[in-house]
Amino acid sequence: MNQKFEFQKTAVNGVLMIKAFNADDLRGCFTKDYSRESFEVNGISYELAEVFYTTSHKGVIRAIHFQREKQQPKLVRCVYGHVWDVVVDLRKDSPTFRQWMAFDLIGEQHNEILVPAGCGHGYLVLEESIVSYKCAEKFYGEYDDGIRWNDPDIAVKWPLEKIGGPENVIVSDKDAHLQSFEEFVSKYGGF
C-alpha cells in the first residue's frame, strides 16, 4: 500500500497544508495523518508530545490561541465535520509577521495544517466537528494565552454568514476576554 502524504507550502512562513494518506474501501476508510518518516523525508522534523481532541457545535469560535513559552507546534485536522481554520504569524522576525491565513478543514477531505511555533491558531465551526491536535510540545496552563477572535489589527475575515450571522457566534468567557493584538505586541513584541 503506497502511503504518501502531500505537503504544500502556504503564503505564511512555515505553515504547511498537508493531505493525509487515506484509503477507502467497502468497509469505510483508513487514514494516516502523521508519519515521522514521511515528514522527515520531506524535511520536516516533528516529534509528537501529546494528542488531544475538541468537539464543538456549529457557531463556536475558538480564538487565536498560543503558548507564551514552550510554544506548541501542532498538526491540526478536522476528523469529523467542517471548520474554517485560521493561523496568525506572531513571530516578530518573520517576513509574514501579523499575516493570517484561513483553511477549510473538512473531515472527509483528510486535510490538515502544520502550525509552527510562534503562530496563533483558532477556528470557526461551520458544522458539528471534532478537531485533532497533534502537538510537538505539551500543554502548559501557566503559559496558555491568546488574542481575541475579532481583533481589529489582525482583522480576520470570519465567514459568519456561513453560521447565519454574528448573532450565532458561540465564544467562551475566557476567549471573549483575551488580549488584543496591540496588547500582545506591547507585552511581548511578538515571539
Side-chain angles (χ1 to χ4, degrees):
M1 184 182 325
N2 184 1
Q3 297 184 4
K4 292 197 175 190
F5 289 74
E6 295 174 26
F7 298 88
Q8 180 183 354
K9 291 182 178 180
T10 69
V12 173
N13 185 30
V15 176
L16 297 175
M17 170 67 94
I18 301 168
K19 180 79 170 172
F21 169 78
N22 187 72
D24 291 301
D25 67 19
L26 60 93
R27 300 166 294 171
C29 73
F30 170 84
T31 304
K32 182 190 288 190
D33 59 9
Y34 174 73
S35 162
R36 185 173 66 197
E37 180 181 6
S38 295
F39 277 52
E40 286 175 353
V41 165
N42 285 277
I44 303 163
S45 176
Y46 193 81
E47 297 278 335
L48 283 176
E50 64 183 18
V51 177
F52 60 93
Y53 298 84
T54 59
T55 301
S56 303
H57 304 293
K58 180 178 179 176
V60 166
I61 289 186
R62 297 194 183 258
I64 311 303
H65 294 166
F66 55 85
Q67 284 189 173
R68 290 184 309 278
E69 296 182 33
K70 299 184 184 271
Q71 295 164 12
Q72 281 184 300
K74 54 187 77 120
L75 189 59
V76 180
R77 182 167 87 87
C78 183
V79 177
Y80 172 82
H82 183 182
V83 299
W84 194 77
D85 196 86
V86 175
V87 179
V88 180
D89 191 345
L90 301 174
R91 300 164 294 180
K92 62 185 168 197
D93 296 328
S94 170
T96 55
F97 178 64
R98 201 179 85 179
Q99 291 181 25
W100 63 271
M101 283 195 74
F103 306 88
D104 271 312
L105 297 184
I106 300 169
E108 293 105 21
Q109 291 184 359
H110 313 288
N111 54 346
E112 55 194 350
I113 302 298
L114 182 62
V115 181
C119 288
H121 172 260
Y123 55 83
L124 170 63
V125 180
L126 300 181
E127 59 187 58
E128 190 89 16
S129 295
I130 299 172
V131 174
S132 162
Y133 298 76
K134 292 172 179 62
C135 300
E137 177 60 81
K138 72 177 214 164
F139 175 77
Y140 291 90
E142 64 269 31
Y143 303 132
D144 185 35
D145 210 339
I147 295 171
R148 283 191 299 271
W149 68 275
N150 57 354
D151 178 81
D153 292 320
I154 295 175
V156 172
K157 306 287 187 257
W158 300 93
L160 301 181
E161 69 282 357
K162 292 184 178 185
I163 60 161
E167 64 275 10
N168 293 320
V169 168
I170 303 167
V171 178
S172 72
D173 189 52
K174 174 188 160 192
D175 279 7
H177 292 94
L178 289 171
Q179 67 197 323
S180 68
F181 178 76
E182 185 178 314
E183 291 166 326
F184 165 75
V185 170
S186 70
K187 282 187 218 171
Y188 310 111
F191 295 120

